[in-house]
Amino acid sequence: TQANRIFPVGHCPSVGATGFLLAGGLSELANDLGLGCDNLLELRMVDAGARLVVASRTERSDIFWASCGGGGGRLGIVYELTLRIHPTSPYDAHVGFLAGFS
């Protein structure tokens, strides 16, 4: 099950999840879980030529690595992210919310 899982999130209310991840994703959980961008498995975007692009470590890796920590919005409009999530138990006392996935 994927209930009671966590992702290293930021705390600035004016920065969305995509901006947080594509700018690197520094979190107080980064020492244990890595930066937000370290937990990015795949992204989907529309590039400047209106082409759909799927990028990961193995597919279109040039776009994937340029997007991880390089700042979003330069290569296209990211509309979907696939993330690695982690068990919450060691971090329960450090987070303000738990996300349930189905």
Side-chain angles (χ1 to χ4, degrees), residues 22-99:
L22 299 184
L26 187 59
S27 163
E28 66 270 356
L29 299 176
N31 286 342
D32 293 330
L33 303 180
L35 296 171
C37 65
D38 296 333
N39 291 280
L40 180 60
L41 301 176
E42 180 181 276
L43 60 88
R44 293 172 183 263
M45 70 169 58
V46 178
D47 70 8
R51 293 175 296 265
L52 299 178
V53 177
V54 178
S56 68
R57 288 172 171 83
T58 58
E59 182 178 358
R60 299 297 305 267
S61 62
D62 56 339
I63 299 221
F64 179 80
W65 291 115
S67 297
C68 286
R74 290 179 176 79
L75 302 172
I77 299 171
V78 175
Y79 65 89
E80 185 176 322
L81 302 163
T82 302
L83 308 172
R84 178 183 307 117
I85 55 176
H86 305 271
T88 57
S89 57
Y91 309 102
D92 288 344
H94 302 288
V95 296
F97 68 93
L98 300 176

